[in-house]
């Protein structure tokens, strides 16, 4: 109940919510000299009496003025309709945008053709390999220049979908390139090299690496040409062009891109167009060193996909061996290369042991030629990116390495510990001889 004094009288009002009417107590002004309509002799008293149900008292009137429910209900319904209309329009726009985006994803999705010849950029000195020398190879996944030690990636459960800044990408890729050059490898196999991607601020990382490794033949095999991924919504991953870069101090005469089998479900839009390159370097005995560079599937792909990729790779390596060639295969295998298949220790669900029995005869991982103690002491080549790198806390695993045919001797093998300074991976360095 509320009351107001207007100088001539007092009006007290409250709403009876049960009986649905307003009750008004109008108190007559006590001043006989008042000439206001609500005064002792005012005309409003008679008007009220003719319009309302009056409870007459000595000096006040008690009014019961019933509400016009229909008018009030109509007003509320109009307001509700406006709200529903606005909400409906907004939802309609969202649904149309979503349908349009899905159509765009499917319309723009394509896989790069299989058995695609690759261009070789020639800068190496004219020389042939020989069985009389020791050679070196290095493989390094540079993580598109984003993975500083404090970076975590949304697809691994982390925070970010882009690198921190363009300047960070430039510094990180430059640092990775200079690190590779400092080891002066005869062959460098570098993965996750962006050409023009939203996530790396459209920096051409291949150009930076070619400047760091100027006296090498180079081959680029693209394995990522995605549509614009509008996820996560706070920082869409965007459009990506990325691939595998091979650098060779010896002339590469031919190179071919092979297409791995990948998922055909909706997850294909979030995975790479997986592939490997096959590059040929002449040896002075008439044979060839055939270099396979790869980046296999990750993120919990099906057993059928993993088995299909391993089977395809094995068949191609076996053909080259049967042709009398030397085979060197390196890159990011996205399998736990230290773990045995019957290993019961806790590991990430995506870190599957590599099934050694699937390798063809005459082939082995270089890491398997180490003693058990040497393998155990080996630095892990990759860290999980669900969080920033914290030594002793962040999960680490060995995903990168080399497979060689038995006509190649593994002289030494090292996972280089730089504390994941330029990537979520560290390089793996191999010295070898051709038999």
């Amino acid at each position: 109940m509320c009351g107001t004094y207007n100088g001539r009288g007092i009006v007290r009002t409250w709403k009876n919510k049960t009986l649905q009417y307003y009750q008004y107590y109008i108190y007559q002004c006590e001043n006989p000299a008042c000439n206001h309509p609500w005064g002792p002799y005012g005309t409003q008293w008679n008007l009220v009496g003719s319009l309302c149900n009056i409870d007459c008292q000595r000096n006040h009137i008690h009014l019961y003025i019933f509400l016009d429910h229909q008018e009030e209900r109509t007003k509320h319904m109009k307001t509700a309709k406006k709200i529903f209309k606005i909400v409906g329009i907004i939802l309609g726009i969202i649904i149309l945008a979503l349908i349009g985006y899905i159509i765009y994803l499917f319309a723009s999705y394509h896989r790069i053709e299989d058995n695609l010849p690759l261009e070789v950029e020639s800068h190496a000195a004219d020389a042939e390999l020989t069985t009389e020398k020791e050679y070196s190879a290095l493989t390094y996944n540079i993580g598109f220049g984003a993975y500083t030690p404090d970076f975590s990636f949304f697809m691994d459960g982390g925070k970010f979908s882009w690198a921190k800044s363009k300047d960070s990408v430039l510094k990180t890729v430059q640092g990775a390139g200079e690190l590779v050059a400092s080891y002066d490898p005869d062959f460098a196999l570098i993965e996750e090299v962006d050409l023009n991607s939203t996530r790396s601020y459209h920096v051409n990382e291949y150009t930076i690496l070619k400047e760091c490794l100027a006296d090498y033949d180079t081959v680029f095999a693209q394995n990522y040409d995605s549509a614009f991924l509008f996820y996560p919504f706070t920082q869409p991953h965007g459009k990506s062009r990325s691939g595998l870069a091979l650098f060779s101090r010896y002339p590469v005469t031919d190179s071919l891109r092979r297409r791995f089998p990948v998922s055909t479900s909706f997850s294909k839009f979030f995975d790479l167009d997986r592939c490997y390159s096959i590059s040929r370097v002449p040896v002075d005995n008439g044979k060839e060193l055939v270099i396979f560079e790869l980046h296999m599937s990750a993120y919990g792909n099906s057993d059928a996909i993993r088995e299909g990729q391993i089977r395809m790779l094995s068949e191609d390596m076996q053909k080259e061996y049967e042709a009398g060639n030397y085979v060197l295969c390196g890159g990011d295998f996205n399998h736990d290369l230290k773990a045995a298949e019957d290993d019961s220790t806790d590991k990430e669900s995506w870190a599957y042991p590599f099934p050694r029995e699937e390798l063809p005869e005459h082939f082995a991982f270089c890491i398997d030629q180490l003693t058990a103690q040497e393998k155990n002491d080996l630095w892990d080549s990759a860290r999980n990116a669900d969080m920033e790198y914290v030594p002793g806390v962040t999960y680490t695993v060995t995903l990168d390495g080399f497979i060689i045919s038995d006509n190649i001797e593994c002289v030494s093998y090292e996972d280089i510990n730089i504390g994941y300074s330029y990537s979520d991976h560290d390089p793996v360095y191999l010295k070898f001889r051709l038999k």
Side-chain angles (χ1 to χ4, degrees):
M1 184 178 72
C2 64
T4 59
Y5 176 65
N6 62 11
R8 300 179 179 89
I10 295 176
V11 179
R12 290 197 179 119
T13 310
W14 69 87
K15 182 177 180 181
N16 188 318
K17 295 183 179 179
T18 304
L19 300 178
Q20 292 296 297
Y21 54 72
Y22 284 108
Q23 298 183 33
Y24 291 85
Y25 278 92
I26 305 174
Y27 287 82
Q28 189 178 38
C29 182
E30 299 290 344
N31 184 2
C34 178
N35 60 2
H36 192 270
W38 288 103
Y41 308 104
T43 57
Q44 290 290 53
W45 297 101
N46 294 330
L47 179 60
V48 169
S50 67
L51 296 176
C52 305
N53 179 21
I54 303 174
D55 179 11
C56 296
Q57 302 291 332
R58 179 171 171 271
N59 65 344
H60 71 274
I61 297 174
H62 185 187
L63 307 178
Y64 300 85
I65 302 176
F66 288 85
L67 302 175
D68 185 351
H69 293 293
Q70 185 62 35
E71 183 179 347
E72 191 171 324
R73 188 180 302 115
T74 302
K75 182 179 179 181
H76 290 164
M77 287 180 66
K78 287 182 179 179
T79 303
K81 285 181 179 179
K82 287 182 180 179
I83 293 173
F84 282 124
K85 184 177 180 180
I86 293 170
V87 172
I89 291 172
I90 294 172
L91 288 175
I93 292 172
I94 292 173
I95 291 170
L96 286 175
L98 182 60
I99 292 172
Y101 179 64
I102 292 173
I103 292 172
Y104 159 72
L105 279 181
F106 278 91
S108 60
Y109 179 79
H110 67 282
R111 292 208 64 193
I112 301 170
E113 63 182 281
D114 196 11
N115 292 303
L116 178 69
L118 299 174
E119 179 185 357
V120 179
E121 296 183 31
S122 299
H123 304 286
D126 188 14
E128 285 186 328
L129 297 174
T130 175
T131 57
E132 304 299 323
K133 285 183 62 177
E134 184 177 281
Y135 299 99
S136 61
L138 182 148
T139 183
Y140 192 9
N141 181 331
I142 65 168
F144 64 91
Y147 292 83
T148 50
D150 59 347
F151 182 85
S152 62
F153 191 47
F154 79 106
M155 283 189 178
D156 285 334
K159 297 179 181 179
F160 307 106
S161 60
W162 296 4
K164 288 190 294 185
S165 66
K166 183 175 182 178
D167 185 58
S168 176
V169 173
L170 292 169
K171 289 180 179 179
T172 301
V173 177
Q174 184 71 32
E178 290 174 359
L179 173 66
V180 173
S182 70
Y183 279 82
D184 193 28
D186 295 300
F187 307 97
L189 292 68
I190 305 179
E191 299 81 49
E192 284 200 47
V193 181
D194 276 7
L195 297 181
N196 182 16
S197 302
T198 308
R199 63 188 186 178
S200 53
Y201 300 88
H202 306 283
V203 172
N204 189 325
E205 299 172 357
Y206 187 37
T207 298
I208 297 173
L209 294 174
K210 286 192 290 185
E211 291 172 354
C212 293
L213 302 164
D215 298 326
Y216 288 76
D217 275 15
T218 65
V219 177
F220 189 86
Q222 186 168 311
N223 70 348
Y224 204 12
D225 187 12
S226 76
F228 191 97
L229 298 180
F230 207 86
Y231 182 82
F233 301 120
T234 54
Q235 190 184 53
H237 195 55
K239 186 173 177 60
S240 298
R241 286 187 63 210
S242 187
L244 317 172
L246 170 68
F247 295 84
S248 172
R249 279 208 179 277
Y250 293 84
V252 176
T253 57
D254 181 71
S255 189
L256 186 73
R257 181 190 187 277
R258 292 301 319 271
R259 185 172 73 181
F260 267 135
V262 297
S263 171
T264 56
S265 68
F266 194 77
S267 64
K268 67 186 179 182
F269 298 111
F270 299 93
D271 198 7
L272 282 68
D273 187 0
R274 301 286 177 177
C275 73
Y276 55 91
S277 62
I278 305 175
S279 302
R280 301 177 181 278
V281 181
V283 183
D284 63 3
N285 60 8
K287 299 180 180 182
E288 294 175 315
L289 172 63
V290 183
I291 302 173
F292 288 70
E293 182 180 9
L294 54 73
H295 188 182
M296 302 183 81
S297 289
Y299 302 117
N301 275 280
S302 70
D303 290 342
I305 297 299
R306 286 191 300 275
E307 291 168 3
Q309 291 184 357
I310 294 170
R311 187 183 311 114
M312 178 179 174
L313 174 67
S314 296
E315 289 173 357
D316 276 356
M317 291 194 301
Q318 184 67 22
K319 288 177 185 176
E320 294 299 335
Y321 182 82
E322 290 174 353
N325 293 321
Y326 305 94
V327 178
L328 173 70
C329 175
D332 181 352
F333 289 87
N334 263 319
H335 287 72
D336 186 345
L337 301 187
K338 281 186 178 181
E341 287 191 79
D342 58 354
D343 191 343
S344 60
T345 57
D346 291 337
K347 57 178 68 69
E348 293 290 325
S349 60
W350 49 267
Y352 294 87
F354 192 98
R356 269 31 178 210
E357 73 278 1
E358 297 297 326
L359 286 177
E361 189 180 2
H362 308 294
F363 288 85
F365 278 97
C366 292
I367 193 173
D368 292 341
Q369 300 185 28
L370 304 178
T371 66
Q373 187 62 49
E374 288 172 336
K375 184 186 292 189
N376 185 64
D377 293 341
L378 199 67
W379 175 254
D380 283 330
S381 71
R383 68 170 178 92
N384 202 357
D386 61 337
M387 59 179 290
E388 69 278 8
Y389 176 57
V390 179
V393 177
T394 305
Y395 178 79
T396 61
V397 63
T398 294
L399 304 177
D400 311 88
F402 290 96
I403 298 172
I404 55 175
S405 52
D406 62 8
N407 53 5
I408 297 178
E409 176 191 357
C410 175
V411 177
S412 66
Y413 185 83
E414 176 188 4
D415 286 1
I416 301 169
N417 178 2
I418 58 166
Y420 314 108
S421 297
Y422 305 118
S423 174
D424 56 330
H425 294 247
D426 275 347
V428 177
Y429 184 67
L430 166 70
K431 289 184 178 180
F432 65 94
R433 287 180 178 273
L434 306 178
K435 297 180 181 178

